[in-house]
Amino acid sequence: ATNKELEQKTKAQVTTLMRYRFDTARRDLENRRLADEKALQSQQLASLESVRKWQWLAILLGGLLMLGVAWLAYRQLLKSRHLNRLSLLDPLTGISNRRHIDHLLETAIARASQSHEELTVAMLDIDHFKQVNDAHGHPVGDQVLRETARLCQDSMRQHDRFGRVGGEEFLVVLPDTDLEHGVMVAERLRAKVAAAVFAVGDAQ
């Protein structure tokens, strides 16, 4: 009876030991699986973070590229406008050149014809300008042209048009102005230029 009881206890202990070993092995296996899953998740998270960093870098570079393209386009637009403006101006006096003032005149004539408004056109010419060039040189003559253009430009209304058609000749376009008032404007310009003193160095 004692031997049988010892055998039963031994079997029970062996069974308990085997169950403990099995449970331990199963827990170790589960822990390794969880560790592998955690490592895989960490690796995936690191990969996602790396991909996200590259995405942000790509977005940043794309934004910088778009900003650079927009800046270049804006510069090109400004340059185009500047060149277009220069093509319409007389390089010496800074007022409308002949091509531009002719276009403005045609536009004013068409508008006056359609709206039945008055329109006055005046031609200005600097008397004895050749003598200025002969006596003082072309640089002084150029300065006289610039000053004359400035004086006339400052004396006109905002909607009046003024341009150089060649040499010392200028064209004035006065929209919505009848002949009487046009003569008054021309006389005012003549008197202002006649009263001006052009001083360039020692020459007057």
Side-chain angles (χ1 to χ4, degrees):
T2 301
N3 288 335
K4 187 177 287 188
E5 184 179 352
L6 286 173
E7 288 179 0
Q8 289 177 351
K9 286 184 178 180
T10 301
K11 288 181 179 180
Q13 290 176 353
V14 170
T15 301
T16 302
L17 180 61
M18 291 181 64
R19 183 179 295 113
Y20 174 76
R21 289 179 176 176
F22 176 77
D23 291 340
T24 301
R26 187 177 62 182
R27 283 196 301 270
D28 290 342
L29 181 62
E30 185 67 19
N31 289 335
R32 284 196 299 270
R33 186 182 65 83
L34 292 176
D36 291 340
E37 290 181 354
K38 185 176 181 180
L40 180 60
Q41 290 177 352
S42 299
Q43 184 178 1
Q44 290 176 344
L45 183 61
S47 298
L48 289 175
E49 289 293 334
S50 177
V51 170
R52 183 174 299 174
K53 289 180 181 178
W54 281 108
Q55 287 176 340
W56 279 110
L57 180 60
I59 292 174
L60 178 61
L61 292 177
L64 291 176
L65 180 61
M66 291 181 62
L67 185 62
V69 171
W71 181 70
L72 289 176
Y74 179 68
R75 280 193 59 189
Q76 187 63 30
L77 177 62
L78 291 181
K79 185 178 180 180
S80 177
R81 288 181 176 178
H82 179 66
L83 292 176
N84 183 63
R85 183 173 177 271
L86 290 179
S87 70
L88 302 177
L89 297 181
D90 176 58
L92 177 63
T93 60
I95 61 176
S96 296
N97 58 22
R98 179 164 190 163
R99 183 168 67 90
H100 189 216
I101 194 63
D102 285 346
H103 172 71
L104 294 176
L105 175 60
E106 292 177 2
T107 303
I109 292 174
R111 183 176 303 161
S113 178
Q114 292 178 359
S115 59
H116 304 289
E117 295 177 352
E118 300 281 354
L119 173 67
T120 298
V121 180
M123 289 288 298
L124 304 182
D125 181 274
I126 302 177
D127 291 339
H128 314 299
F129 182 71
K130 186 176 182 303
Q131 296 178 10
V132 174
N133 281 333
D134 293 342
H136 305 287
H138 288 282
V140 173
D142 291 344
Q143 184 64 30
V144 170
L145 289 174
R146 284 192 290 267
E147 288 298 317
T148 300
R150 184 187 62 80
L151 288 171
C152 294
Q153 188 77 53
D154 293 343
S155 301
M156 293 183 186
R157 300 168 298 182
Q158 185 175 1
H159 62 278
D160 293 338
R161 298 293 178 258
F162 180 55
R164 182 184 177 200
V165 294
E168 70 276 18
E169 297 176 346
F170 301 88
L171 181 67
V172 183
V173 181
L174 305 172
D176 196 20
T177 304
D178 59 22
L179 182 59
E180 180 180 357
H181 288 87
V183 171
M184 293 173 59
V185 171
E187 177 58 26
R188 182 173 70 246
L189 296 177
R190 187 206 63 79
K192 188 166 186 177
V193 173
V197 177
F198 299 93
V200 183
D202 297 332
Q204 287 190 354

